[in-house]
Amino acid sequence: MTSNPASSKHLYKTVALVLVVLEAFAAVVAPQFPDPGHPGMSRDEQIQLGFQTAAQVYKQMPVLPDNSPETQYIRKLGTKLVSTIPSQNSWPFEFHVIPQKEINAFALPGGPMFVNIGTITAASNEAELAGVMAHEMSHVYMQHSAKQAGKAQTTSMLAGLAGLVLGATTKGTLGSLAQYGIQFGAQGLMLKYSRDDEAQADAVGAIILYKAGYNPKSMADFFQKLAAEGSSGPQFLSDHPNPGNRQEAIQAEIAQWPPKKYSTNATAFNTARQHAVGVRAYSGQEIEQGAKSGQWAQLNQQKGATFRPPTGVPVSATSSTPPTPAGKPVSIDSVLPSAQLVTSDLGPLKIARPNNWQVIPPAQNGQDLRIAPPAGISGDSVGYGVVINGVKPPNGQSMNVDQLTSELVRSMSSGGDLSPIGQAQPITVAGVQGRSLAMQSTSPFPDAKGQPQKERDWLVTVPRSDGSFVYLVFVAPQAEFERFRPSYENMLRTLQFRD
Ligand code: ZN
């Protein structure tokens, strides 16, 4: 093909002209924060959910104390980033460091952010670390969790069930976190974001970085580095999936912003990083193990890492779960069931109970009914006794007893340290075939030496003819469970439904 020199010269001129105009125009266009939108969940609700979850993190994971060099450093850096956000759309951001080896970070609705120490040591410079934090901060700014919660509630088949189970397990409010898609796992809190959310968090994160004086490209560089690291990739990338062409998108976004001399703050970063390398850090697996025994709550307390919500943020003390053994050791005589049984009429069902145990009706509709010795309850938690409740699959959906049992276990164990032991087995209750499943968790009561102890939670689910289910959880510390089992089996034998 022969070219026409005249026309290509003409074209070249036009392009050059356009470029000049754009540059002149770009020179006055500084980036602006987008409108964060209006999710159904209110600002106060988001703050409360986030800070309540943060209080739980302090019970389920090791956290460095406020005066550690890493925490001090991260707070300084975080404050610098927050100062770029217009106050009317800002949140009570705060920054904590988890001594975990894996590269990850998460920010909760309303502002609490946790950065793994592995992220500090993996970053090559402050701008990369700032990139991760700015990205997390942007999820909070855009209220992605709150927007997701709205979606999850309408689309999840099991949302209704989760709602019923909410506050209805021996483990209190953990169900509510699962409802918002927030779950604890081996890698810490798992907040799943969509690719659209990711693209937005990258775009807003770039604005924060730019305004704080960091090269926004460093955020994409760090993500790229993580992706190149291993076939499975760190948890951070599965929580924050690449929306596609991450680097190109950020390059395109920042291309028209006025040029700026970017800062590195190399000395402060290198000092913090060097110190971080020497801090005892744990693997995700070790952290998950330790959460079961209550190890982290204790360690954090010893090291002076205590969670204090900012002034004006209400975080109720009873919401923090799993319970740390706050109570005194219980004398077994004060809780052992009497062999004398009396029948209790509980409305839809009748069941016999030891005559020295009491029926404690639910405080609110949907909450548990408990049958327990008064000394067997600590705060909100049953350490010795039986928890009874009913659940119904939402909106005319039907479930068989196996589906219901596994869904119930999923809901009860999400976010907590409750876990099943083995498989559910058939059991006949009131002439109906139900399921029996042993589970374990941490007792709200310490053992005789004041140490945290394991709890056995025996779950029995029974289908009803109307499609609903009744479930019972028989609870005692693992070491003492066999002394309670005969009474529990007797109770189960006496269960009768009204209809
Ligand atoms: Zn993300």
Side-chain angles (χ1 to χ4, degrees):
M1 187 178 130
T2 48
S3 64
N4 181 333
S7 76
S8 67
K9 197 173 171 190
H10 176 72
L11 183 67
Y12 172 75
K13 258 189 179 163
T14 314
V15 170
L17 187 69
V18 169
L19 280 180
V20 169
V21 170
L22 278 182
E23 268 163 31
F25 184 62
V28 293
V29 182
Q32 297 290 324
F33 280 93
D35 180 349
H38 301 277
M41 203 174 171
S42 76
R43 182 181 170 86
D44 284 352
E45 282 171 331
Q46 290 183 59
I47 291 174
Q48 197 168 353
L49 177 69
F51 281 89
Q52 263 170 12
T53 310
Q56 288 199 19
V57 173
Y58 270 73
K59 301 212 183 297
Q60 304 236 344
M61 305 184 85
V63 184
L64 295 184
D66 288 357
N67 63 6
S68 75
E70 290 75 20
T71 308
Q72 298 273 315
Y73 169 72
I74 284 284
R75 288 196 174 162
K76 221 168 175 176
L77 176 53
T79 307
K80 190 169 165 184
L81 298 173
V82 171
S83 69
T84 65
I85 300 174
S87 58
Q88 73 273 16
N89 287 328
S90 198
W91 294 87
F93 285 102
E94 12 169 87
F95 307 91
H96 311 266
V97 180
I98 296 175
Q100 180 170 351
K101 290 174 186 165
E102 288 89 356
I103 300 161
N104 209 351
F106 56 85
L108 297 166
M113 186 190 295
F114 292 81
V115 179
N116 283 6
I117 204 161
T119 312
I120 303 176
T121 53
S124 324
N125 52 54
E126 186 168 273
E128 286 188 356
L129 182 59
V132 170
M133 293 171 70
H135 176 98
E136 292 293 344
M137 217 172 255
S138 303
H139 282 305
V140 176
Y141 174 88
M142 293 304 296
Q143 306 169 68
H144 284 149
S145 293
K147 287 173 187 165
Q148 249 180 37
K151 269 187 261 169
Q153 275 164 339
T154 50
T155 58
S156 165
M157 174 189 110
L158 294 161
L161 177 61
L164 280 170
V165 173
L166 197 154
T169 72
T170 52
K171 295 299 146 204
T173 59
L174 291 174
S176 63
L177 296 175
Q179 214 181 5
Y180 296 114
I182 300 170
Q183 297 192 338
F184 279 96
Q187 303 298 335
L189 267 190
M190 293 183 282
L191 296 129
K192 297 284 174 206
Y193 296 111
S194 71
R195 286 174 198 273
D196 284 349
D197 289 349
E198 284 309 300
Q200 277 184 348
D202 283 352
V204 176
I207 298 175
I208 295 175
L209 288 172
Y210 176 84
K211 289 190 183 272
Y214 296 102
N215 189 343
K217 212 180 132 287
S218 53
M219 175 172 57
D221 289 347
F222 189 61
F223 293 165
Q224 172 90 356
K225 196 164 87 182
L226 295 188
E229 248 184 18
S231 53
S232 57
Q235 183 67 32
F236 183 85
L237 287 182
S238 52
D239 292 352
H240 304 271
N242 188 339
N245 300 324
R246 201 158 215 166
Q247 281 178 304
E248 291 83 342
I250 292 173
Q251 288 283 18
E253 184 192 6
I254 67 178
Q256 299 181 10
W257 296 348
K260 210 171 184 177
K261 195 175 176 322
Y262 295 120
S263 90
T264 56
N265 200 20
T267 317
F269 172 77
N270 288 334
T271 311
R273 188 177 180 278
Q274 210 159 23
H275 190 273
V277 171
V279 171
R280 165 84 202 271
Y282 305 88
S283 69
Q285 221 175 6
E286 287 172 317
I287 290 176
E288 203 181 17
Q289 287 292 321
K292 288 179 185 162
S293 63
Q295 182 185 344
W296 307 123
Q298 261 191 338
L299 184 79
N300 291 340
Q301 216 156 27
Q302 273 168 21
K303 299 211 159 171
T306 48
F307 178 70
R308 280 178 294 268
T311 12
V313 174
V315 174
S316 66
T318 52
S319 69
S320 40
T321 47
T324 40
K328 293 194 183 109
V330 169
S331 107
I332 188 84
D333 291 336
S334 67
V335 291
L336 273 179
S338 142
Q340 285 261 285
L341 296 184
V342 288
T343 301
S344 294
D345 188 341
L346 308 177
L349 58 89
K350 283 182 179 179
I351 192 168
R353 62 177 164 88
N355 70 355
N356 63 333
W357 286 20
Q358 295 175 356
V359 175
I360 302 145
Q364 277 172 38
N365 208 7
Q367 288 184 345
D368 302 324
L369 180 145
R370 294 119 175 242
I371 299 177
I377 295 182
S378 165
D380 253 2
S381 304
V382 175
Y384 298 84
V386 189
V387 171
I388 304 175
N389 211 331
V391 284
K392 194 172 191 166
N395 306 332
Q397 282 156 6
S398 69
M399 279 182 159
N400 66 34
V401 68
D402 285 312
Q403 291 169 324
L404 182 279
T405 305
S406 63
E407 189 46 46
L408 195 56
V409 170
R410 190 192 65 82
S411 176
M412 284 176 171
S413 57
S414 66
D417 68 337
L418 188 79
S419 55
I421 310 168
Q423 304 282 317
Q425 303 294 330
I427 187 172
T428 303
V429 180
V432 183
Q433 175 126 135
R435 291 292 178 269
S436 161
L437 178 67
M439 304 190 290
Q440 64 178 4
S441 62
T442 307
S443 174
F445 295 105
D447 67 13
K449 290 179 193 140
Q451 295 300 307
Q453 63 176 335
K454 279 212 158 41
E455 173 178 290
R456 178 59 62 97
D457 305 280
W458 175 29
L459 171 69
V460 176
T461 51
V462 190
R464 305 292 303 118
S465 51
D466 65 355
S468 71
F469 296 80
V470 163
Y471 68 86
L472 305 93
V473 186
F474 299 92
V475 184
Q478 191 143 294
E480 292 161 349
F481 193 84
E482 291 310 315
R483 297 185 68 173
F484 290 79
R485 187 190 291 278
S487 298
Y488 290 159
E489 287 173 348
N490 279 337
M491 290 176 77
L492 209 48
R493 266 193 285 276
T494 67
L495 178 70
Q496 279 182 302
F497 293 107
R498 178 165 294 256
D499 48 290

